[in-house]
Amino acid sequence: MIGRLRGVLVSSRGNGIVIDVGGVGYEVAMTTRDLAALPGIGEEIVVHTHTYVREDDLSLYGFAGESDRDLFRVLLSASGVGPKVAIALLASMTGDEIVRAITGEDPDALTIAPGVGKRGAQKIVLELGPKLAGREIEVVGGLGVGGVRQALEGLGYSTAEINGVVGDLDPTDPIEIQVRTALQRLGRR
């Protein structure tokens, strides 16, 4: 299996990149967050990868860090979660937010990702909660999206309304700022 690539960035497009490693161009699908953090074309890069093999598919999925790649692999172990859903989750939320949502039994937080419905999110939380229990996560900015979600739910906002505003919040802001920003955005609608 291919676990890591080091080479020259040849091209970058909406959902992935091409890395030249010793004259061979590897197509690697990545999250939009990781794509935005890449250096310019022609620069050397290192990408941690997961090789996805099925009878009709051989794909590489790349990540800036090993922790996101490892979380991607854990997500794939849930029934009904394929690479597109796992990538959508990692593109919509940070790894810490995903772990917090799963271990905190907050399936609504996961529904922010395209392709993840309420039932699928509940299944992910049920199946992966024990696997992620005790996993060390870096808590940045207080309670993160889960705390904002709880505050807004307590004020009577629906899941759809909450999902419409929490994706654009800065997780490094204190929880109070995040809640205030979310309420301002909800007030404009």
Side-chain angles (χ1 to χ4, degrees):
M1 296 297 174
I2 300 169
R4 186 181 84 135
L5 293 172
R6 180 189 313 188
V8 176
L9 181 62
V10 176
S11 69
S12 177
R13 55 194 188 294
N15 62 347
I17 59 173
V18 175
I19 303 173
D20 184 321
V21 180
V24 177
Y26 290 91
E27 288 185 11
V28 182
M30 298 181 76
T31 67
T32 51
R33 181 179 298 127
D34 284 344
L35 287 170
L38 290 174
I41 302 296
E43 299 284 324
E44 183 173 277
I45 61 170
V46 174
V47 177
H48 300 275
T49 61
H50 173 79
T51 308
Y52 183 78
V53 181
R54 291 291 176 259
E55 61 187 51
D56 62 340
D57 186 20
L58 174 62
S59 302
L60 283 175
Y61 292 88
F63 308 91
E66 288 182 75
S67 62
D68 278 351
R69 181 197 57 199
D70 294 344
L71 181 56
F72 177 81
R73 290 175 174 167
V74 171
L75 290 169
L76 288 178
S77 70
S79 60
V81 176
K84 289 182 182 177
V85 169
I87 281 285
L89 280 164
L90 287 164
S92 301
M93 305 169 72
T94 67
D96 291 343
E97 290 169 340
I98 294 169
V99 171
R100 223 178 281 121
I102 293 171
T103 58
E105 298 180 2
D106 183 12
D108 288 339
L110 300 175
T111 62
I112 194 169
V116 180
K118 189 158 183 87
R119 285 187 186 163
Q122 289 170 339
K123 199 174 202 181
I124 291 169
V125 167
L126 183 65
E127 290 183 25
L128 299 183
K131 289 182 181 180
L132 295 175
R135 179 178 168 143
E136 291 183 29
I137 60 172
E138 178 183 327
V139 179
V140 179
L143 298 173
V145 172
V148 174
R149 180 177 299 284
Q150 288 174 347
L152 295 175
E153 284 173 350
L155 293 171
Y157 288 99
S158 71
T159 301
E161 290 172 314
I162 295 168
N163 286 347
V165 296
V166 296
D168 299 328
L169 297 176
D170 184 352
T172 61
D173 284 342
I175 189 78
E176 301 83 23
I177 301 292
Q178 292 182 53
V179 170
R180 185 178 320 130
T181 303
L183 287 171
Q184 288 171 345
R185 291 179 182 161
L186 284 165
R188 291 185 201 137
R189 292 181 179 202

